[in-house]
Amino acid sequence: MPNVKVNLGPRSYTVLVGAGVTDKLPGLISKHTPEGRLFVIYDSGFYALHGHKLSKFLKSSIGKTHELTIPVSERLKSQKTLDQIIDYLLSERISRSDLILACGGGIISDLVGFAASSVLRGVRWGIVSSTLLGMVDAAIGGKTGLNHKQGKNLVGAFWQPSFVICDLNHLGTLSDRHFMAGMGEVVKYAGLVGGRMLEDCRSFLDSEPHAVDKITDRLVAQSVRYKADIVSKDETEGRLRMVLNFGHTFGHAIERCLNYRGLLHGEAVLIGLLGAIELSRLVRKPNVGSLAEYEQIVLRYVQVLPKRKLRTKELIEAMSTDKKRGGRGNRFILLDRPGKPVIIENVSKQIIGRAVEVGS
Ligand code: GLY
């Protein structure tokens, strides 16, 4: 599979996507830290499955490594865990010529990336992303950070990695539930991209197990390519990058209403896509047929989600108290048709309420 480049001038980097691409790690490490040491931070879930093998591989190929394994969860995506990582790096006397490697899903890459952005005012880092959600979203684009008691991801920095490894062999060890939650983000990209990606999302559900891997590989590569292109054009979310939040205004509100329990992020995004599709109908003049076709695909993914109880009033309230919006009015990413997202602001509460009722 061809590598994907995030084009950011001197801070450009490559995302390697494919089965077994972890083999390329020693070359990347030597390239990005010819003189320095390597600090590997594993999330404990990743370590239990792949850590021993990876650690042995790194030691045999590049020599001594410095390693830390920590448990992570949304609750542990906190200042305390960040301090734990920074304390470790400083106690090992990390220097600016060293490299930090984050191994695991999106939570560890967000935390380690934020530590890398701030320790010694910035140290290079790379990512071995092992979850579907991590590969198609968190690992790409340099958004790093942690949760604050006032909300998710409210503290952080843009700090681009030097490389990203998306080894598709790691996907085989994900639970079905986590895999399907990752598909939430993939189905989001299908709405933004349209065309063949929609077909692939549908065939993913209809295909025999032997054919699924090929479709998955294609969907991951397409998602990574799309995100890399958007980030290359708008690194710090001036405007264009906002389209990646398609389904997320509703999705984040759902997560907040459920107190971040009961649904995984990607699952909330799937439900959020239904709200965004309905809102597209209410405030745009969309291509009705193609939107309905996309909605049918999203619905099939939503049907298998755990049951949840969502109250319209609370959801609208959660959307209007989204701390990330600051003092501005609301903003939604809608579709005129699959492949044609639009950014819309200041939608009335009444119309949002109608979309929420249908979407939830
Ligand atoms: N997760 C959305 C973004 O990276 O912009």
Side-chain angles (χ1 to χ4, degrees), residues 10-165:
R11 289 172 299 106
S12 296
Y13 57 96
T14 301
V15 184
L16 279 79
V17 186
V21 289
T22 307
D23 288 352
K24 308 271 185 231
L25 203 45
L28 288 166
I29 293 166
S30 311
K31 180 176 165 203
H32 291 285
T33 180
E35 306 289 318
R37 294 175 298 159
L38 177 69
F39 289 86
V40 191
I41 320 276
Y42 299 101
D43 98 33
S44 52
F46 176 95
Y47 193 86
L49 291 166
H50 316 285
H52 190 65
K53 188 171 164 210
L54 181 58
S55 175
K56 225 169 120 189
F57 174 58
L58 288 173
K59 285 186 177 114
S60 67
S61 49
I62 60 163
K64 190 171 160 55
T65 58
H66 302 259
E67 302 187 353
L68 174 71
T69 301
I70 51 170
V72 291
S73 64
E74 257 334 306
R75 199 177 47 79
L76 293 173
K77 194 172 159 184
S78 62
Q79 185 67 46
K80 200 168 159 203
T81 311
L82 179 76
D83 288 345
Q84 189 189 349
I85 298 169
I86 291 179
D87 288 351
Y88 167 73
L89 296 171
L90 292 177
S91 67
E92 294 288 328
R93 296 180 168 274
I94 188 166
S95 81
R96 283 215 192 106
S97 54
D98 297 336
L99 181 82
I100 307 171
L101 186 64
C103 299
I107 299 180
I108 197 84
S109 62
D110 277 12
L111 278 166
V112 170
F114 191 29
S117 77
S118 52
V119 73
L120 305 181
R121 297 198 175 88
V123 174
R124 279 167 298 182
W125 70 301
I127 306 175
V128 174
S129 184
S130 62
T131 65
L132 182 53
L133 199 89
M135 290 180 192
V136 299
D137 188 21
I140 301 155
K143 275 190 183 175
T144 71
L146 45 84
N147 299 334
H148 185 271
K149 59 179 182 296
Q150 297 206 36
K152 237 179 125 166
N153 297 331
L154 288 184
V155 180
F158 286 98
W159 189 246
Q160 301 294 341
S162 300
F163 58 84
V164 179
I165 298 264

Side-chain angles (χ1 to χ4, degrees), residues 137-138 140-141 143 188 227 231 237 241 244-245 248:
D137 188 21
I140 301 155
K143 275 190 183 175
K188 169 197 87 175
K227 180 155 186 186
V231 170
E237 205 171 300
R241 187 168 173 167
L244 300 176
N245 295 327
H248 283 60

Side-chain angles (χ1 to χ4, degrees), residues 237-249:
E237 205 171 300
R239 188 145 180 105
L240 179 66
R241 187 168 173 167
M242 290 171 191
V243 299
L244 300 176
N245 295 327
F246 177 45
H248 283 60
T249 312

